[in-house]
Amino acid sequence: MKALIRCYLIIVLVAPLFLASCADKDVYDPDKVRPVAPAENPLGEDFIAPEGFEWSMISTLKLNIEVKDGFNGQYKYLIEIFTINPLSNATTVPLTAGYAKGNNNYVTEISIPKATERIFIRQTDPKQRKEIYEYIVPKNGGELNCKLFFTEASSRAASNPDHGTSGWDQIAPMNIEESSVNNLQDNHSFIHEPDGYLTNGSTFIIDGQYDKPLTADKGQANIIVKGTWKMSGRLQGLTIYVIDGGKISGDAILMGTGSTIEIQKGGNAEFTGFRTDTKNTIRNFGTFKAENISRINSDCVIYNAKDATFGVARNIDDFTSSALHNHGNFIVGDKIYTNNNENTCIIANYETGYIKATEFIGGAKAFINNNIVELEKYDANNITNGWLYNNCAFIAKQSFKFTQLVIDNGSITGAQNGDSWESTAISSWNSGSLTLKNGSIMKATTFICGSTLTIDAESVQPSMIQAETITYEWTTYLRGNLVLAVNREVNAGVQESWGVSGRRYEKEPSVKITKKDEAKEEIETCTGIIYEGNPGNPDPEDPAQPDVEDNTVYTYAFEDQWPAYGDFDMNDAVITIDKINTTNGGKQVSIQGHVRAVGASRKIGIGIQFLNISSSEVALSGKVQNGIPTFESGQSNPVVILCTNAHKYCKPNIADDDYTFYCTDPIVSSEYNSGDGANFEIKMIFPTAEEAVKVTNSKNIDVFIITKDAHGVIGRTEVHTANYAPTNLGATELFGMGNDASTHNYMLNKSPKGYYLSTEGLAWGICIPYTEVWKWPKERQMITNVYPGFKPWVLSGGKVEDLTWVSEHNDNIFAKP
């Protein structure tokens, strides 16, 4: 750098001589341009912006939005664009809005802070029904083609009109008939009658009353109960048939390994206590009752036939790696516990089956429901590989907590109340999955998503999650043809405590969001209509054009020494645009802002140049330093001068030549550090909304400062933010002088970089979009000393993830004393 300084001195000495030889001794004429020598980079020799770095913290996004027109082009669909989910924040207003209908997409261009990760598109149809779609913003802007409807990548088979079919490929379905025992004759004999040991292969027919224990000796024996048998002890090696009119009972019965009980139609079994060993079978075509079942051990099968009743007054304490095939009524008075070995446990509730209990706790390789399961509580108990396949109605009146869940043309709800279905508290264990198929629905009071839950609605027919609130505990992935009908999303934004930028959910654009009771889709499953759908207003009409507003605060911070470097405290002029709103059917635009600080020791003017619009037929009103704003004459783009003397604009009572720092130096008199500066407003009424919308795009608003008035044939000295060209009245003679690289810099022999960029790629003016007014450095504090992340952001080429620098500062920001 020192070598460069010596070069600067040579240039400064030689340049006047060169100009003198060409200008007939007029080098000191005030109407001529004196050369401006380069200054040393105050940010350090290593502070050089990467080639092509544009300094912009704003992305331009082109949107092409298509609707699914259900009215054949007769009416318009209102499209509103938000940067905050209007479902989570009812007070937010759209950034912009317009209309679409069949074959007429809504096409617009918006500018948003690069830190904006998502936009939200709200569609209002001609029946005034609202739906929200969420899109990830491409880094550094670009184009988004948005289809506000689900498009299926491939065709799928139509769903069963009565119930779904999921899960049945995971098991061998069981549908059997009663056994025929007519050919069995009583041929029993005892090895030892007092202990009830029957000979192997014998058949014992109980025709009257019998109250002694029975078991097979070293083999298998058949028992046919036509009368009554009060059992006791262990039933080992027995196949028991309880035929019509027969009854078995007992107090603490253990089915030994390999034993079978078949209760035929009209037969009864009643036990106080009951449990099984391994590889037992219970086939019930009649009535089975027990006070309590302490255990259904491994590899057992319970088959409950159509019209049969299997009832347990209290609990099934342990259903271990066994199978239940239910075609009838399976009623448990309290809890059903399954064990943690989900690889073999099967529960299958068929088309005629009804399972009822107070609680179901645990998992299964496959819990398949094709009819009705009714509980107070369901809890999969964090069995990560246990699957529930619900193809019809699953009722959990108080709560429902799942791990791996598939709902196929089915519903998860609370109790049925007349023709309506109530909601229940729904949640998932961590690392769970939820697949909804063929018009399924979950009705929840609250829906809490465990860590890394995946929700996938995978068919052409939409499925719905309906809840008062949905809470994202970590990252939830929402995909497919899903209607998320919720009144509030909790933890929907970035979770700062993670230490990295990350969101609590990831939604595909196909996921549609509405209020809980406003979704228009009707959901009908095997039990009838679960949700009728919102029919909307009966008489369709075009939705009203809303007022729109850009609530991002744009802070413009300038150095005034251009074309040479200044001290880079970026407070010589600080201007904010606080709000841009559009009213009057989209034709009236109001731009409100403040001149916040003036840290220049010279007269400073401030103006705004509006790009890509015409001033023709635009009516102006509002407030600037000289009164009502006017468009400056001699400009090809509309230009409004906010003030000609920023110091006096902020402090009207001071002298015209009082250039004391305003709101940059806390050690000066308090009168220069009071207030919020000078507020301004520019109101413009355009002939059409199409013209007006252009001025609401922040990229078309070019705020600049004037550091020297025009003199002679030389235009005024303007300083713009990086890559914005001067106005027609701005001088270009200083381009390429000092440190400037707006054109080729012959002093330093450097190629052009862009308007108001230095040879090292640095800028004299920056625009900082943020949720509040950016806190500028106090006097004589370089921006790099105040904002540690500023340098990494520049040197990285402006990576979006480095934009956190705008809020991470030390105590050297200006604060009113």
Side-chain angles (χ1 to χ4, degrees):
M1 192 67 189
K2 292 179 179 178
L4 289 176
I5 292 174
R6 288 195 291 271
C7 293
Y8 295 163
L9 294 174
I10 294 171
I11 291 168
V12 170
L13 291 172
V14 172
L17 298 175
F18 173 77
L19 292 173
S21 65
C22 300
D24 296 328
K25 301 180 182 180
D26 287 339
V27 68
Y28 297 112
D29 187 329
D31 288 348
K32 301 296 182 181
V33 180
R34 295 185 180 183
V36 179
E40 187 173 351
N41 185 346
L43 300 179
E45 294 182 26
D46 63 335
F47 201 118
I48 300 173
E51 194 68 33
F53 178 51
E54 296 182 347
W55 286 89
S56 177
M57 297 175 223
I58 298 172
S59 291
T60 298
L61 189 61
K62 295 181 179 178
L63 298 171
N64 182 8
I65 300 172
E66 179 183 352
V67 299
K68 189 173 184 178
D69 191 344
F71 298 88
N72 297 318
Q74 289 180 284
Y75 303 98
K76 298 176 181 176
Y77 287 72
L78 174 65
I79 306 299
E80 299 168 280
I81 312 298
F82 300 83
T83 56
I84 298 173
N85 190 343
L87 184 71
S88 302
N89 185 345
T91 64
T92 190
V93 293
L95 177 66
T96 189
Y99 290 107
K101 59 182 179 179
N103 300 320
N104 287 292
N105 294 355
Y106 175 50
V107 180
T108 190
E109 182 176 281
I110 61 173
S111 290
I112 52 178
K114 283 186 177 178
T116 304
E117 295 181 333
R118 284 164 167 74
I119 61 167
F120 302 87
I121 302 176
R122 183 166 69 188
Q123 171 190 275
T124 304
D125 72 7
K127 289 193 171 185
Q128 314 308 310
R129 297 173 295 192
K130 299 180 185 298
E131 299 170 345
I132 299 169
Y133 298 81
E134 184 173 338
Y135 285 84
I136 297 174
V137 176
K139 283 190 176 182
N140 300 315
E143 295 185 4
L144 272 179
N145 294 309
C146 309
K147 294 180 181 291
L148 304 190
F149 51 90
F150 180 76
T151 54
E152 180 73 359
S154 59
S155 61
R156 300 179 188 268
S159 65
N160 187 308
D162 296 322
H163 53 73
T165 58
S166 292
W168 294 105
D169 58 340
Q170 302 297 309
I171 70 170
M174 183 178 289
N175 196 340
I176 60 176
E177 301 290 337
E178 290 180 338
S179 301
S180 176
V181 295
N182 293 332
N183 60 338
L184 294 177
Q185 303 296 321
D186 191 331
N187 60 359
H188 76 279
S189 61
F190 289 100
I191 300 296
H192 189 263
E193 185 174 359
D195 295 325
Y197 287 119
L198 289 168
T199 57
N200 182 30
S202 64
T203 296
F204 183 17
I205 298 176
I206 299 174
D207 209 354
Q209 295 185 356
Y210 194 80
D211 59 4
K212 296 179 181 179
L214 292 171
T215 188
D217 179 63
K218 299 178 182 179
Q220 195 77 22
N222 298 317
I223 298 177
I224 301 173
V225 181
K226 296 181 178 180
T228 60
W229 176 27
K230 186 175 181 180
M231 300 174 169
S232 60
R234 181 187 184 96
L235 309 176
Q236 182 66 46
L238 299 178
T239 300
I240 303 168
Y241 302 94
V242 184
I243 66 172
D244 187 8
K247 179 180 179 180
I248 57 175
S249 63
D251 294 331
I253 301 303
L254 169 63
M255 286 186 69
T257 300
S259 293
T260 297
I261 295 176
E262 181 176 307
I263 303 159
Q264 297 190 346
K265 189 174 182 179
N268 284 272
E270 292 185 9
F271 304 101
T272 51
F274 185 87
R275 62 191 176 104
T276 73
D277 207 330
T278 61
K279 299 180 181 179
N280 298 129
T281 300
I282 300 173
R283 297 190 293 263
N284 181 40
F285 299 88
T287 302
F288 181 103
K289 293 182 179 179
E291 284 294 316
N292 192 79
I293 295 180
S294 57
R295 191 174 197 187
I296 302 295
N297 210 341
S298 301
D299 297 324
C300 293
V301 175
I302 298 176
Y303 180 86
N304 195 46
K306 182 180 178 181
D307 299 325
T309 297
F310 194 106
V312 181
R314 290 184 288 154
N315 297 334
I316 297 179
D317 291 318
D318 190 356
F319 192 90
T320 303
S321 304
S322 295
L324 166 64
H325 293 264
N326 181 52
H327 295 264
N329 296 312
F330 191 90
I331 313 296
V332 178
D334 201 350
K335 300 178 180 66
I336 302 174
Y337 293 91
T338 65
N339 72 313
N340 291 342
N341 186 353
E342 66 278 359
N343 293 325
T344 55
C345 183
I346 291 171
I347 297 176
N349 194 43
Y350 293 76
E351 289 83 350
T352 57
Y354 174 59
I355 296 177
K356 182 178 181 180
T358 301
E359 294 185 42
F360 185 101
I361 302 170
K365 173 186 177 181
F367 184 165
I368 307 168
N369 174 44
N370 261 40
N371 194 29
I372 298 174
V373 174
E374 183 176 355
L375 311 168
E376 295 294 321
K377 298 179 181 179
Y378 171 81
D379 186 352
N381 203 28
N382 202 22
I383 308 301
T384 56
N385 292 323
W387 289 81
L388 170 59
Y389 301 90
N390 179 44
N391 301 315
C392 195
F394 201 107
I395 300 167
K397 297 177 183 178
Q398 295 183 30
S399 61
F400 179 90
K401 190 167 186 178
F402 65 94
T403 48
Q404 316 300 335
L405 172 62
V406 177
I407 311 176
D408 188 352
N409 194 212
S411 60
I412 306 290
T413 69
Q416 187 175 15
N417 187 358
D419 292 333
S420 65
W421 293 84
E422 296 179 357
S423 301
T424 187
I426 297 176
S427 59
S428 77
W429 289 96
N430 295 339
S431 302
S433 70
L434 167 59
T435 301
L436 299 108
K437 299 180 178 182
N438 302 312
S440 294
I441 187 171
M442 303 180 79
K443 288 178 65 73
T445 50
T446 58
F447 193 110
I448 300 175
C449 305
S451 174
T452 61
L453 171 66
T454 298
I455 302 175
D456 188 1
E458 63 174 33
S459 60
V460 175
Q461 190 175 355
S463 292
M464 185 180 300
I465 292 176
Q466 192 179 47
E468 184 65 34
T469 62
I470 184 168
T471 300
Y472 307 108
E473 291 293 337
W474 198 257
T475 303
T476 300
Y477 302 91
L478 302 103
R479 303 167 180 162
N481 196 5
L482 175 66
V483 179
L484 189 60
V486 298
N487 287 339
R488 190 164 67 97
E489 292 180 290
V490 180
N491 294 340
V494 173
Q495 176 61 20
E496 300 294 345
S497 63
W498 292 356
V500 295
S501 178
R503 292 181 69 87
R504 293 289 188 102
Y505 66 79
E506 297 290 340
K507 288 194 191 87
E508 284 188 348
S510 58
V511 176
K512 179 190 306 182
I513 311 170
T514 72
K515 290 284 189 179
K516 179 183 176 183
D517 297 314
E518 295 182 8
K520 64 186 180 184
E521 290 78 8
E522 180 183 270
I523 304 293
E524 182 177 5
T525 67
C526 66
T527 54
I529 296 174
I530 305 296
Y531 174 69
E532 292 183 346
N534 173 22
N537 292 353
D539 299 318
E541 61 180 349
D542 294 341
Q545 174 81 28
D547 294 345
V548 300
E549 195 169 277
D550 184 353
N551 281 318
T552 298
V553 177
Y554 298 91
T555 302
Y556 296 81
F558 290 94
E559 281 293 310
D560 69 345
Q561 295 298 311
W562 179 87
Y565 284 137
D567 57 6
F568 265 98
D569 55 12
M570 302 306 292
N571 64 15
D572 294 339
V574 179
I575 306 102
T576 61
I577 292 178
D578 307 323
K579 184 184 293 185
I580 306 170
N581 66 328
T582 306
T583 56
N584 191 22
K587 295 181 181 180
Q588 179 172 306
V589 178
S590 171
I591 299 172
Q592 303 170 41
H594 284 79
V595 178
R596 300 275 179 179
V598 188
S601 55
R602 66 169 87 183
K603 181 182 176 183
I604 293 289
I606 301 171
I608 301 179
Q609 177 178 214
F610 297 100
L611 306 177
N612 300 315
I613 68 168
S614 170
S615 60
S616 176
E617 300 183 57
V618 176
L620 268 179
S621 62
K623 173 191 174 184
V624 294
Q625 187 175 30
N626 292 331
I628 297 174
T630 59
F631 288 132
E632 198 173 29
S633 61
Q635 300 281 20
S636 55
N637 292 317
V639 174
V640 171
I641 300 300
L642 302 179
C643 64
T644 56
N645 186 335
H647 295 82
K648 194 170 180 64
Y649 192 22
C650 293
K651 296 290 295 178
N653 61 334
I654 63 174
D656 289 350
D657 59 352
D658 184 351
Y659 301 134
T660 305
F661 298 149
Y662 176 77
C663 283
T664 66
D665 193 347
I667 66 173
V668 303
S669 172
S670 62
E671 68 173 312
Y672 291 96
N673 292 317
S674 61
D676 293 320
N679 67 302
F680 62 86
E681 182 176 19
I682 303 171
K683 290 183 180 179
M684 292 176 276
I685 300 178
F686 289 82
T688 66
E690 288 73 22
E691 279 294 311
V693 74
K694 296 177 184 177
V695 81
T696 65
N697 188 324
S698 60
K699 277 287 189 79
N700 291 332
I701 299 176
D702 171 22
V703 177
F704 64 94
I705 64 173
I706 302 168
T707 60
K708 189 174 183 180
D709 292 331
H711 56 94
V713 296
I714 300 168
R716 66 195 179 199
T717 303
E718 299 177 354
V719 184
H720 293 248
T721 57
N723 292 303
Y724 279 90
T727 73
N728 293 108
L729 302 183
T732 60
E733 289 84 353
L734 296 178
F735 283 176
M737 288 192 180
N739 301 97
D740 179 70
S742 297
T743 60
H744 189 96
N745 189 312
Y746 288 97
M747 291 182 170
L748 299 174
N749 193 25
K750 296 290 185 179
S751 300
K753 292 279 188 178
Y755 288 116
Y756 298 97
L757 286 175
S758 78
T759 55
E760 293 167 300
L762 307 185
W764 282 267
I766 56 176
C767 173
I768 303 162
Y770 195 45
T771 55
E772 58 187 35
V773 176
W774 178 69
K775 297 173 175 61
W776 56 92
K778 60 186 174 184
E779 200 60 45
R780 293 172 291 277
Q781 292 292 331
M782 285 191 299
I783 190 171
T784 49
N785 294 337
V786 180
Y787 285 91
F790 178 77
K791 182 176 181 179
W793 172 68
V794 174
L795 298 186
S796 73
K799 289 183 178 178
V800 173
E801 52 266 34
D802 292 333
L803 276 172
T804 53
W805 76 265
V806 302
S807 60
E808 296 171 355
H809 56 77
N810 56 34
D811 292 337
N812 287 319
I813 58 169
F814 173 78
K816 294 176 183 178

